[in-house]
Amino acid sequence: MQANVVTPDGSVFDGHVEMVSVKTQDGELGIMANHLPLVTPLAIGAVRIKKDSKVQLIAVSGGFMEVRPDEVNILAESAELPSDIDIARARAAKERAERRLEEAKRDNIDFKRAELALKRAINRIEVSGTKQ
Ligand code: ATP
């Protein structure tokens, strides 16, 4: 089947694949050819695309997946291949978010926003294959 991953900035992946696994709000979901048509929101997480028996990881920060019998389209808020992830930036974002979460406990500021920023940073660090 065909898999496409696009963001507002353009295409991140486009190719013929064996399987696509994503993280939805309800958990992991694996899609192979001839799956029932479906549209589902995505969580912050890794998309795993199996192509030529190898797995390509992509860090995705939410969006939607549309499944058709021979096609999977992922419309992501952001999506990066491991080689495009700036690890220093993700580590800095993680530290900033952790600091804000601490402050949020004290001052009741935007806890949810800091929590999502932390999830995005951890996801990028994991997908890049480096240690936290
Ligand atoms: P930051 O605080 O570092 O901007 P963020 O999680 O708030 O992180 P997003 O709003 O999710 O960033 O993404 C904004 C744009 O920057 C997107 O195009 C995304 O692909 C890109 N981006 C964010 N962090 C990284 C990173 N560590 N490496 C490469 N690209 C990144």
Side-chain angles (χ1 to χ4, degrees):
M1 66 184 174
Q2 194 66 26
N4 303 299
V5 180
V6 293
T7 75
D9 297 329
S11 174
V12 174
F13 182 95
D14 189 353
H16 196 77
V17 307
E18 286 121 55
M19 181 159 160
V20 176
S21 302
V22 298
K23 196 173 168 199
T24 72
Q25 320 283 358
D26 301 323
E28 292 284 332
L29 187 60
I31 306 290
M32 299 197 337
N34 298 316
H35 194 284
L36 284 178
L38 151 86
V39 173
T40 183
L42 298 178
I44 296 168
V47 169
R48 291 180 169 73
I49 298 180
K50 203 164 153 203
K51 182 178 164 66
D52 305 329
S53 301
K54 283 185 235 144
V55 176
Q56 171 71 66
L57 290 184
I58 303 177
V60 165
S61 301
F64 288 88
M65 174 175 70
E66 178 199 37
V67 178
R68 302 209 259 158
D70 55 357
E71 194 175 308
V72 174
N73 292 308
I74 292 176
L75 312 171
E77 284 165 27
S78 72
E80 302 101 34
L81 299 170
S83 57
D84 292 330
I85 293 175
D86 177 340
I87 295 152
R89 176 174 168 180
R91 286 214 171 103
K94 179 171 178 265
E95 278 166 26
R96 197 163 56 242
E98 283 168 340
R99 220 168 35 240
R100 286 196 179 132
L101 281 178
E102 278 303 311
E103 290 164 9
K105 273 192 219 150
R106 260 202 329 267
D107 307 331
N108 213 13
I109 58 160
D110 209 339
F111 194 84
K112 190 72 203 166
R113 184 171 162 188
E115 210 173 42
L116 289 172
L118 180 60
K119 278 191 187 164
R120 291 195 298 272
I122 290 173
N123 183 41
R124 286 178 176 125
I125 294 167
E126 281 177 2
V127 166
S128 75
T130 53
K131 292 217 178 109
Q132 308 255 345

